[in-house]
Each structure stands twice: as C-alpha cells, then as structure tokens.
Amino acid sequence: MIPHYFLYEEAASKVEPSFLHIEPIPVRSGRHNWTIRTHTHPDHHQVLVISKGGGAIEVEGVSWEVSPPALVIIPALTIHAIRFRPGTDGYVITVALPFLQSALDDDANLIDGFRVPVRFLSQQIGRDIDLVGLFASLEHEFVWSAPSRRTAIKAYLQLLAVTVRRLLEQERVRPISSAREAETVMHFRELVEKHYRDHPSLDVYARKLGVTAARLNACCRMTTGKSSLALINDRLLTEAKRNLLYSDMTVNEIGAALGYADPAYFNRFFSRNVGLSPGRFRERLFSDETRAAAS
C-alpha cells in the first residue's frame, strides 16, 4: 500500500498539519540519500522550487526530469516519488487544503493552479520571476515567530498562487476544472485508494459519488487530463511497480495481492500498460540500480 504522510516518513507529525510547512530540500532528502520513495499526501498540496541540482520526479507513473530553476506542483492525493541529485537545493512547501483555500478566498480562480500536477522549467519561468526569493521569504516568516505571522505567510502564498496562475495561462495548460469537478475527482481518488484491489466497476464508483459514470469520466478528464479508468489503472500499476522494486514477492504473489486471481491476466495488464512484462521490468530496475551503484 502507498504510504500516506503529512511530511515524508512522519506519520505522527510534530508540526501544524492544519497550517503549512516549508523547509529546504536538503533537510529531509539529504538524510534519505536524496531519494523520496513513492507516497502521497491525502490532505495537503506540495510545491517545490529547485534552485540547484535537480533530478527526476515520478508523478502518477510519469517521470519528469527537472533542472534549476524549476517549479513543481503536486496536488493532494497525487502519488509521487523523487530522486534528487546529491547536493540539490531549493524548498518544499506542504500546505493544508483548508489553509490554502482560506488564503485564496478573495480570488477563487487562484486555487485552480494547485489542482493539476504540473512542472515549470527555466524556459517557462524566465529571468523576471524570483521564485527562490519568494520561497526564502516565506520560510523566514515560517521560522520567525513575529507578530501577524500567519497573515504574512498568507500574503506570500497569494503571491505564489498568482505566479502559478500566470504561468499556467502563459503555457495554456489543459482546461482548468471547476471546484465541483475537482472535488468529485478528489473523492473518487479517495475511493480508488480504498477499493482498487477489489476492482469495482466504474458504475459502482459513480454511484458512491452520486454521479453517472459518464460525468465521472468527464470530471477526471477535465481535472487530470486522464479518464477515470486510466486513474484506476495508474494506481494499480504504481502499486505493482512499488512491489516489484521494494518487495521480494513473486510476480504471481504481487498479482494476487492486487486482486488478479489469474496470473496471466495480471501479466497481460502490466505488459500492455508498461511495455514490459513484470519480470522483465524488475530485472531492468535491478540492473539499472546496479549500474548506478557502480558508477
């Protein structure tokens, strides 16, 4: 099962889970060998700015190469993993949904920029936007217990949201969904997280959400750019890949754990979507790891 965290490997957080957290990338990633394994944040969005180094961020099974300067938005419930290059620097913001909503209440359109996973690289950001300075100022307010701390942090969040919104408009990223569509997709993904091993039909999911299967599919496409079935398949594939990489379960055992009574059907499903059989995928991963360790 994909781990759920507020902060990575901090199930019982000592910070303010209803508020916001910001820290330099090396603080957490450095002590985990610059590798953040697959996980998700059910109730928090994450925003990363990378000022030095870079690496690869896997978001819902898609790998993004990032190099500085880069800005990455990871919405709540998005399954992701990160492998930074050693020495990477920048900041990570983890912000609770209600706090972000309250900070952006005066301009509801700004919340749209946090509903879809997206990355902006140097050619999109340009030289006129000082993202690192913005994050550094926000971190200063976060660690400095000065009067009106929360108000100042909200102000910096608003500036960040405006920047994201303008970058989205500039790049003409996929159509932005309404709040109702985004909420439907969030509840759908919560249900998928609970039931994906049981393989319920799309009609079952839709009935639980009080919409038709066609409406659910439209909401998913508008909000994520993927169909509802693709989101379910992505979740199954992410769990399969995680078990192939991090467990000693056999391929048949992994298929059974994911609800596939017929091993051949699991093999066909994985091969059709990944382009490799589960066994070959595992072999390639370990051969890549061996080469990386030797270099």
Side-chain angles (χ1 to χ4, degrees), residues 45-274:
H45 297 311
Q46 280 200 321
V47 189
L48 294 80
V49 64
I50 297 170
S51 59
K52 174 185 173 184
I57 301 179
E58 184 174 294
V59 179
E60 297 289 350
V62 177
S63 183
W64 289 346
E65 290 292 328
V66 291
S67 56
L71 177 69
V72 179
I73 310 293
I74 302 176
L77 287 170
T78 301
I79 299 167
H80 60 286
I82 309 172
R83 180 169 294 179
F84 291 114
R85 298 187 191 100
T88 292
D89 207 353
Y91 294 94
V92 181
I93 294 172
T94 305
V95 58
L97 305 180
F99 181 72
L100 182 66
Q101 186 69 58
S102 71
L104 305 180
D105 267 348
D106 291 339
D107 189 343
N109 288 330
L110 293 180
I111 201 72
D112 292 336
F114 298 87
R115 288 190 178 133
V116 177
V118 65
R119 63 172 170 169
F120 301 103
L121 303 178
S122 59
Q123 62 268 30
Q124 297 151 317
I125 295 169
R127 297 181 178 180
D128 297 330
I129 303 175
D130 184 13
L131 284 170
V132 176
L134 175 57
F135 276 67
S137 297
L138 199 157
E139 188 208 19
H140 177 72
E141 290 293 341
F142 178 75
V143 301
W144 186 41
S145 297
S148 302
R149 170 180 178 247
R150 291 176 72 96
T151 301
I153 287 174
K154 281 187 177 183
Y156 283 118
L157 267 181
Q158 289 168 351
L159 286 173
L160 175 59
V162 168
T163 301
V164 171
R165 177 75 182 189
R166 290 175 178 176
L167 287 170
L168 285 170
E169 289 293 330
Q170 173 184 303
E171 293 301 312
R172 298 189 178 275
V173 174
R174 70 175 65 95
I176 295 173
S177 60
S178 70
R180 179 175 294 180
E181 288 165 339
E183 185 177 3
T184 297
V185 174
M186 181 171 289
H187 290 316
F188 171 58
R189 297 182 73 168
E190 289 172 349
L191 288 173
V192 170
E193 187 64 30
K194 292 177 182 177
H195 302 295
Y196 68 91
R197 292 180 178 85
D198 302 325
H199 302 266
S201 69
L202 289 175
D203 285 333
V204 170
Y205 281 119
R207 282 197 298 273
K208 287 179 179 289
L209 294 167
V211 298
T212 65
R215 177 60 183 161
L216 174 59
N217 196 50
C219 289
C220 290
R221 287 193 179 280
M222 180 66 76
T223 304
T224 71
K226 295 183 177 182
S227 69
S228 46
L229 180 60
L231 292 178
I232 296 170
N233 288 345
D234 284 351
R235 183 63 187 89
L236 285 161
L237 290 167
T238 298
E239 191 69 17
K241 290 175 182 179
R242 179 173 179 268
N243 284 320
L244 288 165
L245 180 57
Y246 297 121
S247 81
D248 58 1
M249 297 167 66
T250 67
V251 170
N252 287 354
E253 287 171 339
I254 292 171
L258 293 177
Y260 292 93
D262 183 352
Y265 189 78
F266 171 64
N267 271 271
R268 287 196 297 272
F269 165 76
F270 191 94
S271 300
R272 182 173 65 250
N273 286 279
V274 178

